[in-house]
Amino acid sequence: MELVVGRLGRPHGVQGEISVEIRTDEPEERFKNGVKLFLKENKKNLTVSTSRWHQQKMLVKFEEITDRDMADEIKGKTLMVTIDENQLENKKDQYYEFQLVNLNVKDNKNNFLGKVKEVISGNAQDLIVVEANNQKEVMVPFVKQIVKDVDLVNKEIKMDPPPGLFDEENALDAR
């Protein structure tokens, strides 16, 4: 199974070190020396040589990236890791992106609202992008006040969306 662990940022220095926007709750484990990662976009393999925290950002040096120009070529790409599905630790109210994508989304009256298209990781909270019945994409904050239940067995998410989130005609007038 493939999991997203980070997004590559800007090069740091001239030796090929690069900043990483962390997308895992285990950065010390995912970016320790010798760990094998790959780029989602082109499947290029990368081996972590060193990693360190610098001003609240993780800086990583890969064995295959030897200078700033090479680091600049991979800027903006997504880092992935392949893991055994049996290694996944399921904690209450914590989900991996792959577990949420394609789940049916229903409101508290069991009306079908759409399907989860993707998950966007944010600093304050994650967003789930729901492809609604009308083919529009609706970005829903993944917070307890809205997302009431995630049922992986039945492949559905129950939510209590605020008025207007899925239906513009019922939106509250903000004036």
Side-chain angles (χ1 to χ4, degrees):
M1 165 175 310
E2 298 174 349
L3 293 177
V4 174
V5 294
R7 185 169 178 274
L8 293 166
R10 296 171 39 165
H12 181 82
V14 295
Q15 301 295 319
E17 202 171 38
I18 190 166
S19 65
V20 176
E21 181 183 314
I22 301 298
R23 299 282 173 89
T24 178
D25 57 354
E26 303 172 313
E28 284 77 14
E29 189 66 26
R30 299 289 182 214
F31 293 98
K32 69 181 179 184
N33 298 0
V35 169
K36 306 279 187 204
L37 304 172
F38 66 93
L39 299 177
K40 179 180 181 180
E41 293 78 3
N42 60 14
K43 304 294 184 201
K44 177 178 179 158
N45 291 314
L46 297 171
T47 307
V48 176
S49 175
T50 62
S51 63
R52 64 188 175 100
W53 289 101
H54 175 71
Q55 297 179 353
Q56 299 176 340
K57 286 196 176 201
M58 167 103 25
L59 297 178
V60 180
K61 173 81 174 84
F62 297 103
E63 291 176 8
E64 298 81 1
I65 307 298
T66 58
D67 61 36
R68 184 179 186 90
D69 291 337
M70 291 176 79
D72 199 45
E73 288 176 19
I74 61 172
K75 177 174 68 175
K77 298 204 178 332
T78 304
L79 282 170
M80 308 285 291
V81 65
T82 302
I83 65 165
D84 181 353
E85 195 167 335
N86 297 325
Q87 289 180 321
L88 295 180
E89 191 177 320
N90 282 332
K91 298 177 184 172
K92 183 173 173 36
D93 296 331
Q94 291 184 351
Y95 306 96
Y96 290 95
E97 180 178 343
F98 77 89
Q99 292 175 305
L100 300 176
V101 172
N102 291 323
L103 293 185
N104 292 321
V105 178
K106 295 181 178 180
D107 67 13
N108 54 6
K109 295 178 183 168
N110 220 28
N111 296 316
F112 180 77
L113 299 173
K115 277 190 175 285
V116 177
K117 183 177 179 184
E118 69 177 303
V119 178
I120 300 172
S121 296
N123 289 336
Q125 69 208 13
D126 292 340
L127 296 171
I128 54 175
V129 179
V130 178
E131 187 170 341
N133 292 333
N134 57 8
Q135 303 301 314
K136 289 186 179 179
E137 291 182 356
V138 179
M139 295 185 8
V140 180
F142 195 55
V143 295
K144 275 282 191 203
Q145 293 86 346
I146 298 172
V147 178
K148 298 300 182 181
D149 184 52
V150 176
D151 184 347
L152 298 177
V153 174
N154 292 313
K155 300 185 184 216
E156 70 180 25
I157 293 176
K158 292 276 183 137
M159 65 174 54
D160 186 14
L165 187 60
F166 282 89
D167 183 6
E168 290 180 29
E169 68 186 50
N170 291 323
L172 297 174
D173 192 352
R175 289 178 273 164

